[in-house]
Structures are given as C-alpha cells and as structure tokens.
Amino acid sequence: MICRKCNSPGTLIIRKEYCYCDECFIFMINHKFRACLGKNKTLSANEKILICLSGDACSTVLLDLVYNAISLNNHKKLRVVPYVLYIIETVADNEKISNSIIEQCKSYGFPLTITNINEYNKNFFSNKEETESQNSYNSKSILSNVTSSIHRDVMMKIKQNIFLKISKELDCNTVFTAETTTSLATKLLSNIVIGRGSQIENDIGFADKRDRDTRILRPLRDITNEEIEHYIQIKEIKPAKAMHNKLNETSLQSVIKNFVMDLQENYPATISTICKTADKIGSITNNINKKKCVVCQSNLDNNDLNLTAVDATVFSRKVSLRQSGESKYNEDSQNIEENNLMFPFIYQSLCYCCSRNMSELGNNKIKQ
Amino acid sequence: MPVLCKAGCGKNAMLKRPKTGDALCKECFFWAFETEIHFTITKGELFKKGDSVAVAASGGKDSTVLAHVLKTLNQRYDYGLNLMLLSIDEGITGYRDDSLETVKQNRDDYEMPLKILSYKELYGWTMDEIVAQIGRKNNCTFCGVFRRQALDRGAAMLNVKCIATGHNADDIAETVLMNILRGDIARLKRCTAICTGSEGTIPRVKPLKYTYEKEIVMYAHYKKLVYFSTECVFAPNAYRGHARALLKDMEKIRPTCIMDIIYSGETMAVKEEISLPSQRLCIRCNFVSSQEVCKACVLLEGLNKGLPKLGIGKSSKAKKMLEEYNAKQKSSLEEAIKDINDECKKNNCVSKGKVCRSSYKSNQSHTAQVNEESHSKMDTCCNGQCSEKLNTENETNLKVQVLLKEYGLSESELNGQTSDKLTESCDKAQTLEMDDDDFEIDTHSTGKELIEDDDSCGGACGNIDSLHIGF
Ligand SMILES: [Zn+2]
Ligand SMILES: [Zn+2]
Ligand SMILES: [Zn+2]
C-alpha cells in the first residue's frame, strides 16, 4: 500500500483501487472542491454565499472545505463571504442537531440562520390553489396521507424554495448545497422516475439557474460519499447527523437510494457515469417556453407534442370509465375537466410532476 | 363481495387494471385495452390508410397480442391496412421450430400472410453453418448482429411501409433506465420515440408503447391467445438486468412510474453541444450503420473469406485485421489467419467471458430464470439457445396466475379449478415469481466479472444490446 501521489505508506483505498496517505487524500479532496468551483468560473470576488446544511457528513465536510479554501493565503484562495442556513425538518433530535451545528459555525466563524420548515409550507401550498380550505392545513396534515414518494419530492421542492427565499433575505446571490456524486446520482434516477427528466439539467447539474437572481451551486458534485466518510474520519469531524444509510421506508427514492448504494459498492464508476449524464441532457422545451412551474420554477413543457404519456394516462382513465361512449370515442373529448382531475394546471402553471403531486394531494384532501 | 364494473355496464368486475387500478369486467377491459392502442395509433399517426405493415412476429406474447389487436382494430376502425407477419428464422436446428409453429398458428387465426425469412436467404449462412465455422463461443455476436438487421432486410423484401414491433411500456421504461446506467445519451433519446428510423430506412413503430406488460399478459390470457414463452438461459446484459430489477421494485411501489419514466424520456433533449455518433448507410448493403461498412457486412466478409472471427471485436480492430489480412495474404495466408484468430481471442469481450454472462451480484447461484416474455421479442438478446414452452402448458402459466391472484377479482371463471387449488398453485407461483423478480441468472460466470468499473462491458456488450434495435 503505497500512496499514489507521494509514494509514502498509504492509509486508505478508495474504489478498492486507489491508495492514498491521509495528507494527500485531504489535499486531493480540497483540490477537487476548488477545481469544481474554478472550472465553472461562476464566483466573483467577495461574493456572499449561502451554505445550506442538513447536518449530515456531506454538509459538514462542505463547511470544512469552504473554511479551508477561504483560509488559504495564495492565489488559490476562495474569495467568498459565507453564510450558513440550517432548516429544521423533524421534531426528533432537532435540538441536539441544531446545537451541534451552532457549535460548528461558531468554530469556523460563519454566521448561521436557523429556520423551521413548518413556517414555510403553509404559504407553499396556498400559492397554487386559491382554495380557502388548503390554507388551514399545515403541510404535515396535507402530506401525512400522501405516499412517501410524493412526500419526499414535495419536501425537496419546499426546501429549495426556502434556500432561495433566505438567500434573498441575506442578499446572497449564490447558494451552495452539499450534494455529492452519490446523492446526485440518486436524485437523477429519482427525477427520471417521477417524470422530472427534463429538469435534470437544473436539478442535478453543477448550477441550478432557474431562479433569476440566485444560483444554486453544487461544489461537491465530484466527491463521492465514500470520500466524504474518509474525510471525516481523518479530520475527526463529528457530523451533527449520522449519514443516512439504507432507508427502510417504501418510496421510489428509497428503492433508488439502496440501488445506488449497491452500485457504489460494486460498480463505483457507474455512479459517475450517471452523474455525468446530467451535463448532456436538456429539455425539449428549453428557451422556447417562458412559462415556469409555480412550484419548482422549471420551464413548463409545451403541449404541442403529438402524443405523450400525459395523453395516454388521461385516456386510460377515460376508457376505464367508458366515458367516451360504447364503441367510439371522440378525439376532441379530451376535455379540460378530465385533464384537470388527473393533471391539474398542467401546461398552465404546473409541470408534469408537480401537477401529479397536486392531484394526489387534492385527492387526499377530499378523503379527509 | 362482488364489485361492480367501474365502467358502469352493470356487470360484476372481473379484474383490477394494473395500469389504473380500476375494477372492470372482462368485456370492458378488452374494450379499454384495445381502445387505448387505437388511441395510440391514431393520435401518434403511426399508419396511413392503405399502408402495408409488417408485424414483427416471434410467437411471444407481445407480438401475438399486437397481431391480434391490429387485426381487430383494422377491421373495427377501417384503417385500410395491409397487415402481414414477418418472422426471422436463424436456422438453428430445433430452436425456432416451436415458436415458428406458434407464428403459423397466428397466421391462420388472424388470416394474415406470413413471411418467414431465414438467415440463409438473408445472408447466405444459417446459424448452424456459422457455428460450425466458428464454434459455439462467438455465435452470440453473429446471431445478434444479423438479427439486428434481419427485420430491416426482411421488411425491404416485403416492400412494406413500416414494421410494427411489440415493445411495451415496461420495455421502454426499462431501456430508459438502462441507457442512463450506461450513459448512452444517443439511445436514451431515441428509445422513447414511438416511431424510429432514419432516412432511407423502413420506420419501426410501437403501437404498444403505452401498454403495460401485465395487461398484455392478462389480455392474452382472457382472450385465450396462443403464444409462446421463452426461457432464455442467457441473462440480459448486466445493465439491462440492473435496470429491470430496479423497475420491478419501483413498479410495486408506484405503478405509474412506468408512464412517468416514459414522460421523462419524451421531454428530455440531448444538448446541442454533445455530438452523437452519426448514422449512415453501409456502403455495401445500404442498411443503417454507424460505420462505413456495417457490422453484418464485416462479419459476412469474414465468413466468406474464411476469417470467421473478423469483426467480433471492435470495428476499428476489424479494419486493422482486414488490412493485415490483405497485407499478409501474399506471403503466408495460413499464418495470417492463425494470428488474427489468436489476437481476436485475446481481445474480444466474448472470449473474456463477459458477454452473456451477466449476473446480478445478489444471486449468482440462481439458474436461469429470465422473465419469459422479455426474450420473446424478435430483437432481444437471445442467441438461440433458449428453451421454450408453449404457454398452454401449466407451469409457464404461473406468471399469469400470479397476476390473476393480484388483479383478478372473481376467481370462479378460471379453468374450473377450485379456489383452494388455485390459491395453492398461486402461492407456489408467488414463490417462483419472487425468484423471477430477482431473476438473476447465471449459468457460468463466477460473478466477479460483471460490469467492471469502466464501461468496458458497455462497449463490448453494446453489440449484444443493440439488438434492441429500435432503441
Ligand atoms: Zn501520499
Ligand atoms: Zn414543477
Ligand atoms: Zn363492464
């Protein structure tokens, strides 16, 4: 075991293949981080950035990497002014996690904002449908009956909106998230599977440019969870939250997450292949349609394709109800009402997936 | 307690539609199933009145259902299509015999003309002859490459306007996932198109694009269609295997994910800056190729020149081999052939044992249990060493029974079996199905040599996988 950089005795192996000593490994990760920001040339000098933490190992490493980069005294110094945001999501443990994050930020000297997700989601839902009843539900009761697949997707969009909102309050034009190669691969597959394929560029790529003023950047996109774990071990960093391991809930995202963890274990190169795909995929309606989804800010798909899964899905429901007559259906009978039930506001103000989510949320509301 | 058919016909519901969850009676299910395909055909503008259409027929459930439904709709809605069945006979003794019998049955049942084209007619060689030349080891490549082009050549001979294939929604969703895993952007974009075919080629259309596999199985069952189940001893390649396993797990959680994946594929675009390998026409045979000379022609050249292993490896290799061959021909022909064959042995993925030896790490010890239907289409990978059974036999009906147990509502109609017995056999089926879900195969490999890190297998197995031609 010899370090592939300096030929001194190695201390760790990544991808079962590449051997490093502690020192070279830490150097390499810091370098990867700066290189990722550098090659994308997006930051101007003394720019304010908002670092969004979840408290897990990845976000803790992100803090450390930013700190290291701004502490340099040479031309490689990262010239940014960091702010930190932590969103409280769960009741369990949140005091412990918050305290630990407060401590971390204190030691790095970064200003911290803590906010609770529940303060936001009321507005989040009332935005979309002007029904009185919905305002009275907080997200918890709305989301409690929804499948966990939808729940996860909606939560992610809520958080993203909070990132943008807080960044504006703090006058930051740039947001850093701690998404790694591993988590982005999971996110890419999840996107495909819930119909957000055309949003991959912004959801998984280096920069999310959907908001006019604020960019969300992903400077850890070339770093894997395996590397993160070595990093915290070597530097003896204690994350506020344990790294998520395999999830036990039944959602599409958990199935995908477990799948990706298996891939990482056995075929690590496949993970970066998946991730790189994000750079090559766009949307067929990019730049043509200026309308945006009011929930996720993605460009809305046009309704000008001859035949899509939307048409086929709506038609499926219709024939199951024999709505279109005994033996004949009327092509024009693809009425708006039907569309609104299964895909509310699609092509108008919601994207495919947000519209599907809305329809599930709506159905649950009716049940209650 | 009987549930009423949701369509409001007054009858009792018989099944729950896998796709929508709606409880329907048999008649209303048939109507919904067929009308959806009619919708796909008309809204997708797949055919024009008066077109001659070749239905790619393998005798499997997808192509059997496709032929049946096209025939029905052609009459019901007066498409004015001239439908015919097109089958490919690889010329492997004993292999196609039974499935071709099924196709002939389709011909009689649906009163459609049937054209069976053999490799011998298309290429001048049967697979048996090729195997005799090159041995069993490499025949997979030949069969795959030849099959990829056989439909095009066949359709050209029949002079049809288009080829209709039996790809269903599950196949397409699975292919989207697979192409993501291998980072194959070009195919990722192409694979959700309902109609594929570049200039100068006969387009292929997929009328079953939005039809769930489970519904196809149920339709075939309730309509008592005769089809053929194939159990291939060869696994799908590793990427497809992973994609299929993932899709099955996800479908259980959220059946709509199949449509959602297809929607993703439909609305994604390849960014302009990315240059994709361009498609062109082979200068020899005029069929689509990414190279100057298509793979089939290279392989044929090799066979005809007595260099059977030419072209099994990479195409750049083939060119070099051919050059070397020509150069050395003057001096010592025999030596050249030996050299080239040896080199080929060293260099191609097949002889390294990666092709067709996919396994999924969790389950290496399982013997072949590929989903029968996924290999029954004409252009899936199966190099002809599949064991097959008619679906009328009891044991291959297990899949149907599992489906019926999950989605069937009134069990009384089932073949007069008592419900106790049925439940029992369904339980058995369920267990088998579990195996089937993991479906990992493997006959020979020790498991280590799966997709190694890189795309090493992606390149080599690409040969095998591009059998999924439309993709
Ligand atoms: Zn070193
Ligand atoms: Zn949206
Ligand atoms: Zn009915």
Side-chain angles (χ1 to χ4, degrees):
Chain A
M1 291 240 303
I2 299 257
C3 168
R4 62 202 307 262
K5 293 284 176 207
C6 70
N7 288 327
S8 62
T11 50
L12 58 100
I13 295 179
I14 44 177
R15 286 190 178 188
K16 297 177 182 153
E17 188 174 358
Y18 305 111
C19 181
Y20 291 93
C21 68
D22 284 1
E23 210 173 302
C24 291
F25 176 77
I26 296 294
F27 181 85
M28 175 193 70
I29 299 297
N30 277 282
H31 177 75
K32 266 196 189 180
F33 167 74
R34 287 194 315 269
C36 183
L37 287 170
K39 80 175 170 223
N40 291 292
K41 289 196 190 103
T42 40
L43 296 173
S44 42
N46 299 319
E47 192 162 336
K48 286 186 184 174
I49 52 160
L50 181 67
I51 305 171
C52 297
L53 298 187
S54 67
D56 68 6
C58 304
S59 68
T60 314
V61 170
L62 175 60
L63 274 190
D64 197 60
L65 292 172
V66 172
Y67 178 78
N68 294 340
I70 61 176
S71 309
L72 289 173
N73 265 326
N74 55 25
H75 66 282
K76 290 176 185 163
K77 180 184 169 78
L78 181 66
R79 292 171 203 284
V80 296
V81 183
Y83 291 78
V84 180
L85 169 67
Y86 172 61
I87 301 171
I88 297 172
E89 292 173 58
T90 51
V91 191
D93 279 346
N94 80 50
E95 205 166 318
K96 207 176 122 231
I97 295 170
S98 309
N99 286 338
S100 155
I101 287 174
I102 291 169
E103 280 310 307
Q104 278 168 4
C105 289
K106 242 186 229 163
S107 69
Y108 289 122
F110 297 161
L112 170 70
T113 305
I114 295 185
T115 185
N116 192 309
I117 198 162
N118 284 323
E119 290 175 26
Y120 291 89
N121 39 36
K122 280 178 217 149
N123 303 335
F124 184 77
F125 287 106
S126 58
N127 257 349
K128 290 169 298 187
E129 229 179 82
E130 266 72 54
T131 53
E132 290 289 309
S133 59
Q134 238 171 2
N135 278 327
S136 60
Y137 289 107
N138 67 24
S139 79
K140 251 192 167 169
S141 66
I142 288 179
L143 288 173
S144 60
N145 283 338
V146 168
T147 58
S148 29
S149 308
I150 297 298
H151 184 274
R152 287 195 149 257
D153 184 61
V154 171
M155 289 307 268
M156 197 180 312
K157 296 304 166 200
I158 292 176
K159 274 195 277 179
Q160 183 144 331
N161 285 348
I162 298 175
F163 294 168
L164 295 172
K165 190 165 186 298
I166 303 282
S167 72
K168 279 168 196 166
E169 286 172 15
L170 293 173
D171 201 23
C172 297
N173 291 330
T174 303
V175 170
F176 279 4
T177 68
E179 292 164 289
T180 57
T181 309
T182 318
S183 57
L184 289 170
T186 308
K187 200 175 174 189
L188 188 143
L189 286 171
S190 305
N191 259 42
I192 296 276
V193 162
I194 55 177
R196 292 195 188 278
S198 62
Q199 301 165 10
I200 280 175
E201 180 177 16
N202 284 306
D203 274 337
I204 287 90
F206 171 70
D208 180 342
K209 296 175 186 160
R210 277 174 294 208
D211 189 85
R212 199 175 306 167
D213 313 309
T214 311
R215 297 160 310 168
I216 299 176
L217 302 184
R218 307 185 171 95
L220 302 190
R221 71 180 306 237
D222 298 327
I223 297 172
T224 66
N225 283 6
E226 186 193 15
E227 291 166 331
I228 295 284
E229 302 216 18
H230 284 299
Y231 193 96
I232 57 171
Q233 251 169 25
I234 294 169
K235 296 204 83 176
E236 293 176 348
I237 294 170
K238 296 261 174 300
K241 244 198 282 187
M243 194 89 131
H244 283 298
N245 282 317
K246 296 212 175 187
L247 298 169
N248 290 319
E249 66 178 39
T250 11
S251 66
L252 295 178
Q253 292 88 344
S254 66
V255 169
I256 290 170
K257 183 161 190 177
N258 295 344
F259 177 80
V260 167
M261 285 176 69
D262 280 343
L263 281 184
Q264 169 153 294
E265 178 69 27
N266 299 293
Y267 320 105
T270 304
I271 301 291
S272 54
T273 303
I274 295 173
C275 229
K276 276 182 207 141
T277 309
D279 300 329
K280 301 171 193 161
I281 296 177
S283 156
I284 49 167
T285 44
N286 254 351
N287 304 324
I288 302 165
N289 193 336
K290 291 276 152 52
K291 271 202 220 163
K292 291 185 175 233
C293 171
V294 296
V295 173
C296 70
Q297 279 78 50
S298 303
N299 284 338
L300 292 181
D301 291 321
N302 281 335
N303 189 13
D304 55 6
L305 290 173
N306 224 359
L307 171 65
T308 66
V310 175
D311 306 307
T313 302
V314 170
F315 192 78
S316 266
R317 168 52 44 86
K318 202 171 352 191
V319 287
S320 280
L321 304 176
R322 279 236 188 192
Q323 274 187 348
S324 28
E326 267 304 295
S327 57
K328 242 172 73 179
Y329 76 92
N330 177 359
E331 294 245 5
D332 299 324
S333 70
Q334 235 204 321
N335 50 50
I336 293 161
E337 255 171 70
E338 188 64 40
N339 231 327
N340 271 353
L341 260 179
M342 297 200 76
F343 291 101
F345 304 104
I346 193 168
Y347 308 128
Q348 315 291 314
S349 57
L350 292 179
C351 69
Y352 175 88
C353 182
C354 289
S355 172
R356 269 213 158 176
N357 290 353
M358 180 56 120
S359 137
E360 279 205 27
L361 292 166
N363 287 343
N364 276 292
K365 206 179 63 195
I366 290 159
K367 261 186 230 155
Q368 290 175 341
Chain B
M1 197 175 103
V3 184
L4 280 179
C5 171
K6 198 168 173 187
C9 66
K11 277 180 264 180
N12 283 341
M14 175 81 184
L15 56 94
K16 219 171 88 190
R17 285 193 73 182
K19 190 173 180 182
T20 60
D22 296 318
L24 295 180
C25 72
K26 212 158 72 171
E27 292 309 314
C28 290
F29 170 66
F30 291 157
W31 185 83
F33 183 91
E34 291 156 4
T35 309
E36 272 182 37
I37 297 170
H38 171 57
F39 175 77
T40 305
I41 290 170
T42 50
K43 191 112 200 289
E45 297 171 2
L46 301 192
F47 308 119
K48 285 199 190 70
K49 198 156 193 157
D51 278 357
S52 289
V53 177
V55 180
S58 64
K61 71 169 177 9
D62 297 292
S63 67
T64 297
V65 167
L66 179 62
H68 175 85
V69 172
L70 282 182
K71 155 98 177 166
T72 308
L73 295 176
N74 195 28
Q75 283 173 347
R76 185 181 299 162
Y77 298 103
D78 193 22
Y79 291 164
L81 298 180
N82 177 21
L83 296 168
M84 54 194 90
L85 299 164
L86 171 59
S87 281
I88 305 297
D89 181 3
E90 294 87 349
I92 302 168
T93 310
Y95 163 59
R96 276 285 173 197
D97 300 359
D98 293 332
S99 64
L100 287 176
E101 278 314 306
T102 316
V103 177
K104 285 174 192 162
Q105 185 74 45
N106 288 346
R107 172 196 62 197
D108 299 340
D109 292 348
Y110 312 142
E111 295 163 315
M112 285 182 202
L114 164 67
K115 179 73 183 169
I116 299 175
L117 285 170
S118 65
Y119 276 15
K120 185 82 180 170
E121 285 168 85
L122 291 168
Y123 301 108
W125 293 76
T126 68
M127 272 314 290
D128 281 347
E129 288 166 354
I130 294 171
V131 171
Q133 279 277 315
I134 65 160
R136 280 228 155 247
K137 243 183 180 174
N138 290 322
N139 62 356
C140 198
T141 306
F142 279 86
C143 192
V145 171
F146 285 176
R147 198 183 299 200
R148 178 159 24 149
Q149 237 187 38
L151 278 183
D152 289 317
R153 292 190 179 213
M157 285 171 83
L158 292 177
N159 200 20
V160 293
K161 268 274 155 46
C162 71
I163 307 168
T165 63
H167 293 103
N168 59 44
D170 301 51
D171 293 332
I172 292 167
E174 179 184 301
T175 309
V176 170
L177 294 176
M178 179 186 76
N179 287 328
I180 295 270
L181 295 183
R182 6 195 283 189
D184 189 336
I185 306 294
R187 286 212 182 83
L188 180 59
K189 188 51 216 162
R190 242 181 299 152
C191 73
T192 50
I194 194 161
C195 179
T196 50
S198 37
E199 214 177 313
T201 64
I202 295 169
R204 293 172 181 224
V205 298
K206 305 173 191 138
L208 305 183
K209 177 181 176 186
Y210 298 110
T211 307
Y212 277 30
E213 187 179 288
K214 281 181 175 161
E215 299 207 342
I216 291 173
V217 174
M218 293 176 91
Y219 183 85
H221 170 77
Y222 284 121
K223 282 271 182 186
K224 299 190 168 58
L225 303 184
V226 179
Y227 66 89
F228 202 77
S229 308
T230 310
E231 278 170 34
C232 182
V233 294
F234 285 93
N237 82 37
Y239 288 98
R240 187 172 286 283
H242 280 83
R244 187 172 299 164
L246 177 61
L247 184 65
K248 294 229 159 186
D249 287 346
M250 293 191 301
E251 190 195 354
K252 279 180 208 143
I253 293 172
R254 193 171 159 83
T256 59
C257 76
I258 292 175
M259 293 300 257
D260 295 340
I261 293 171
I262 294 176
Y263 185 81
S264 280
E266 287 171 339
T267 50
M268 287 189 304
V270 178
K271 283 202 203 158
E272 287 161 43
E273 312 101 76
I274 314 290
S275 69
L276 299 171
S278 61
Q279 297 222 310
R280 50 194 295 182
L281 297 185
C282 167
I283 55 167
R284 291 247 180 134
C285 69
N286 263 326
F287 287 96
V288 189
S289 165
S290 52
Q291 307 287 326
E292 196 173 331
V293 178
C294 78
K295 190 101 179 173
C297 284
V298 173
L299 289 174
L300 277 176
E301 174 83 7
L303 281 171
N304 296 333
K305 274 209 160 112
L307 282 174
K309 296 193 176 169
L310 185 72
I312 289 174
K314 288 187 179 143
S315 49
S316 56
K317 192 125 260 164
K319 203 173 171 189
K320 209 174 125 213
M321 281 165 66
L322 208 56
E323 278 164 10
E324 272 174 40
Y325 168 78
N326 288 334
K328 286 187 187 176
Q329 207 167 19
K330 291 166 203 156
S331 55
S332 164
L333 181 62
E334 267 177 42
E335 203 183 348
I337 293 174
K338 189 176 169 295
D339 279 354
I340 290 168
N341 285 348
D342 285 349
E343 196 198 349
C344 179
K345 230 179 252 166
K346 271 184 273 158
N347 285 306
N348 81 67
C349 167
V350 180
S351 48
K352 278 186 206 153
K354 284 185 184 168
V355 166
C356 270
R357 293 183 170 202
S358 347
S359 64
Y360 191 52
K361 65 144 184 99
S362 59
N363 227 339
Q364 278 122 12
S365 58
H366 278 225
T367 42
Q369 272 278 327
V370 185
N371 276 344
E372 70 263 45
E373 69 286 346
S374 51
H375 279 255
S376 57
K377 267 178 299 278
M378 306 208 53
D379 43 11
T380 40
C381 165
C382 149
N383 77 345
Q385 309 194 0
C386 299
S387 57
E388 302 184 324
K389 292 178 191 122
L390 266 182
N391 74 320
T392 44
E393 284 170 34
N394 228 350
E395 43 187 317
T396 45
N397 254 340
L398 286 176
K399 171 137 194 158
V400 176
Q401 293 189 4
V402 171
L403 270 181
L404 293 179
K405 194 183 179 191
E406 194 177 347
Y407 295 97
L409 294 174
S410 65
E411 299 181 339
S412 51
E413 262 195 56
L414 297 177
N415 310 331
Q417 284 174 314
T418 72
S419 57
D420 271 359
K421 238 186 192 165
L422 181 68
T423 316
E424 194 181 298
S425 70
C426 280
D427 283 343
K428 187 177 153 214
Q430 191 74 57
T431 344
L432 279 179
E433 172 76 359
M434 294 309 281
D435 283 354
D436 210 48
D437 274 351
D438 302 339
F439 75 90
E440 293 354 348
I441 325 298
D442 195 35
T443 41
H444 22 231
S445 88
T446 53
K448 271 283 174 199
E449 48 196 18
L450 233 189
I451 335 173
E452 290 296 343
D453 263 9
D454 230 329
D455 303 57
S456 53
C457 217
C461 276
N463 294 336
I464 300 307
D465 215 76
S466 35
L467 304 189
H468 245 276
I469 313 163
F471 301 157

